[in-house]
Amino acid sequence: MKRILKIASAFIGILVGAGFASGQETMLYFVSFGNLGTIGAIISVAIFAYLGMILMKLGSRTQTDSHQEVIYKICGRFLGCIIDYVLNAILFGIGIVMIAGSGSIFDQQFGLPSFIGTILMTVLVMITVMLKVDRVIKVIASVTPFLILVVLFLFIYSMFTMNSSFTSLEPHALEQNSAAGHWLVSTINYISITIAMGASMTLVMGGNEPDERISSIGGLTGGIALGLLLLISHLTIFSNINTVSGLDMPMLGIANSISPLLGILYSLVLFAMIFNTAVSMFYSFGTRFSDPQTTKFKVIIISSLLIGFIASFFGFTKLVSSLYPIFGYMGIVLIIVLIITPFRMSRLTKEN
């Protein structure tokens, strides 16, 4: 059970980054559609559970240390090559967004120049990524429970204190910018970008667990928990839409409205979750091109982080609203492949 919870916690930690923990993704993909967005969030629970289980099972079965070999085996040479390039672009792009998100925390919460947060995040990620994969997983998993506790508290507090119905709040929610023109398209796009950005590290994490059953249950548990966190986050922001619209980080704004001390606590948890995703993005990106602990790997990591640091100055909100929908559409092919993968599992076993 301990190994299952560790895998589930790490899975959540990989996928819950700046966009999710801040509430910016939730606002863009779900809250902006009001009550229909709630239906989308509910659908996401089931799909995240299924895809989490499949990714972990694939990683464990192939005992992989890079997403490349798994993608090529389940997709074939031509399609595998395309998805491989898409995943690499997403890993690097999301890594940049994470660095930008750290700057937004320092700006919104503490009124400090954003570059202080981006420099701190860049240095911390650079140091952590040099560790072995099992240590990286431990770092990622250790922070997740704190986010879950704080998000649950914000949700419960919001539900007990809201003085308007969701129906009356819906017109204001519909005024927010959306990731797509239709709620279902937006839901699919969100699932796609979320799984695509976490697929590489999830496969590597599954490859670090020799017991396929434990790996699968861990992925299933993590997927369900991730979906429920999304639903809770959506309802929390939806219930506070009148006060958080326009903020870079709506969830942080809600925490601050309850208590300045809680705002500081949440900003620390948020920074840690951004750090989690940044580590998994850049680590996966580096392992795609070189074995960990090699000089080439370190050069790739340092170079990509420096480029990411410079690109982060475009701004967190701008990067999320422009890059995420594009990456979501790019990742849809991967989602389709993962859905049909169970029917190809026996073939994958024979090839191994």
Side-chain angles (χ1 to χ4, degrees):
M1 179 59 71
K2 183 177 180 181
R3 285 154 66 191
I4 291 174
L5 292 177
K6 176 185 173 183
I7 291 173
S9 184
F11 179 74
I12 298 170
I14 291 170
L15 300 181
V16 177
F20 181 97
S22 67
Q24 185 61 231
E25 282 179 13
T26 310
M27 178 79 83
L28 187 68
Y29 284 91
F30 298 96
V31 178
S32 60
F33 291 99
N35 291 319
L36 288 175
T38 305
I39 297 175
I42 294 172
I43 293 173
S44 300
V45 177
I47 300 179
F48 277 138
Y50 177 80
L51 296 178
M53 178 184 67
I54 295 302
L55 282 169
M56 286 293 184
K57 178 179 286 189
L58 279 171
S60 181
R61 179 166 297 192
T62 58
Q63 290 295 287
T64 185
D65 57 6
S66 169
H67 71 255
Q68 183 185 22
E69 58 180 295
V70 180
I71 295 301
Y72 274 66
K73 283 179 179 178
I74 64 176
C75 300
R77 177 62 54 178
F78 177 72
L79 183 57
C81 182
I82 294 175
I83 293 180
D84 183 28
Y85 279 113
V86 168
L87 286 180
N88 291 326
I90 291 174
L91 289 174
F92 188 57
I94 299 299
I96 293 173
V97 174
M98 295 305 108
I99 295 176
S102 64
S104 288
I105 292 177
F106 277 69
D107 179 24
Q108 180 175 319
Q109 182 63 33
F110 304 108
L112 297 173
S114 60
F115 71 83
I116 295 177
T118 56
I119 290 175
L120 179 60
M121 180 62 69
T122 302
V123 173
L124 288 175
V125 172
M126 189 178 297
I127 294 172
T128 307
V129 169
M130 303 302 176
L131 302 174
K132 293 182 179 180
V133 63
D134 58 333
R135 293 182 180 177
V136 173
I137 292 172
K138 287 180 181 178
V139 170
I140 293 173
S142 63
V143 186
T144 307
F146 294 99
L147 173 77
I148 294 175
L149 289 174
V150 178
V151 170
L152 282 174
F153 174 79
L154 294 180
F155 168 70
I156 294 171
Y157 181 89
S158 297
M159 292 302 99
F160 276 100
T161 58
M162 67 180 295
N163 49 22
S164 301
S165 66
F166 285 115
T167 301
S168 64
L169 292 172
E170 187 170 36
H172 198 175
L174 296 176
E175 295 174 357
Q176 311 305 310
N177 292 329
S178 301
H182 191 278
W183 69 272
L184 186 56
V185 175
S186 184
T187 299
I188 295 172
N189 190 285
Y190 178 77
I191 294 171
S192 175
I193 180 62
T194 302
I195 293 298
M197 80 175 190
S200 296
M201 190 63 192
T202 302
L203 287 169
V204 172
M205 193 163 60
N208 200 52
E209 172 54 61
D211 191 322
E212 189 176 313
R213 177 178 171 276
I214 289 178
S215 185
S216 299
I217 296 175
L220 177 69
T221 304
I224 292 173
L226 177 67
L228 291 176
L229 274 177
L230 169 63
L231 178 60
I232 288 171
S233 175
H234 162 71
L235 294 175
T236 302
I237 297 173
F238 195 175
S239 65
N240 291 276
I241 189 63
N242 290 323
T243 58
V244 301
S245 62
L247 293 179
D248 274 3
M249 305 205 161
M251 291 294 282
L252 180 56
I254 295 171
N256 276 313
S257 68
I258 297 173
S259 165
L261 183 61
L262 182 60
I264 294 175
L265 173 63
Y266 192 78
S267 66
L268 295 175
V269 174
L270 180 54
F271 188 87
M273 297 312 298
I274 291 173
F275 165 75
N276 274 356
T277 301
V279 166
S280 64
M281 294 301 102
F282 285 104
Y283 184 89
S284 300
F285 184 77
T287 56
R288 165 57 183 84
F289 300 101
S290 177
D291 292 330
Q293 309 305 312
T294 63
T295 300
K296 181 181 178 181
F297 176 80
K298 294 177 181 179
V299 171
I300 292 172
I301 293 301
I302 293 173
S303 301
S304 59
L305 278 168
L306 289 177
I307 295 173
F309 170 74
I310 295 171
S312 69
F313 285 92
F314 279 102
F316 173 63
T317 302
K318 186 175 181 180
L319 285 170
V320 170
S321 61
S322 58
L323 290 180
Y324 274 48
I326 295 174
F327 288 156
Y329 290 120
M330 290 170 66
I332 286 177
V333 177
L334 173 63
I335 301 301
I336 295 173
V337 170
L338 289 175
I339 289 175
I340 64 175
T341 290
F343 304 102
R344 298 164 54 87
M345 278 291 194
S346 57
R347 176 184 170 185
L348 184 62
T349 304
K350 292 175 183 178
E351 290 179 351
N352 283 321

mmCIF file of all heavy atoms in Angstrom, residues 5 34 59 121:
data_model
loop_
_atom_site.group_PDB
_atom_site.id
_atom_site.type_symbol
_atom_site.label_atom_id
_atom_site.label_comp_id
_atom_site.label_asym_id
_atom_site.label_seq_id
_atom_site.Cartn_x
_atom_site.Cartn_y
_atom_site.Cartn_z
ATOM 1 N N LEU A 5 0.641 4.309 -2.735
ATOM 2 C CA LEU A 5 0.399 5.711 -2.378
ATOM 3 C C LEU A 5 1.542 6.605 -2.828
ATOM 4 O O LEU A 5 1.331 7.762 -3.225
ATOM 5 C CB LEU A 5 0.184 5.838 -0.867
ATOM 6 C CG LEU A 5 -1.106 5.208 -0.320
ATOM 7 C CD1 LEU A 5 -1.154 5.335 1.186
ATOM 8 C CD2 LEU A 5 -2.333 5.850 -0.961
ATOM 9 N N GLY A 34 -18.910 27.642 -16.858
ATOM 10 C CA GLY A 34 -19.942 27.589 -15.838
ATOM 11 C C GLY A 34 -20.321 26.166 -15.459
ATOM 12 O O GLY A 34 -19.469 25.317 -15.220
ATOM 13 N N GLY A 59 5.006 1.646 -18.351
ATOM 14 C CA GLY A 59 6.339 1.920 -17.828
ATOM 15 C C GLY A 59 6.889 0.728 -17.074
ATOM 16 O O GLY A 59 8.052 0.335 -17.255
ATOM 17 N N MET A 121 13.723 29.401 -8.843
ATOM 18 C CA MET A 121 13.193 28.155 -9.393
ATOM 19 C C MET A 121 14.200 27.496 -10.324
ATOM 20 O O MET A 121 14.412 26.263 -10.269
ATOM 21 C CB MET A 121 11.890 28.431 -10.154
ATOM 22 C CG MET A 121 11.249 27.201 -10.774
ATOM 23 S SD MET A 121 10.768 25.940 -9.547
ATOM 24 C CE MET A 121 9.414 26.778 -8.718
#
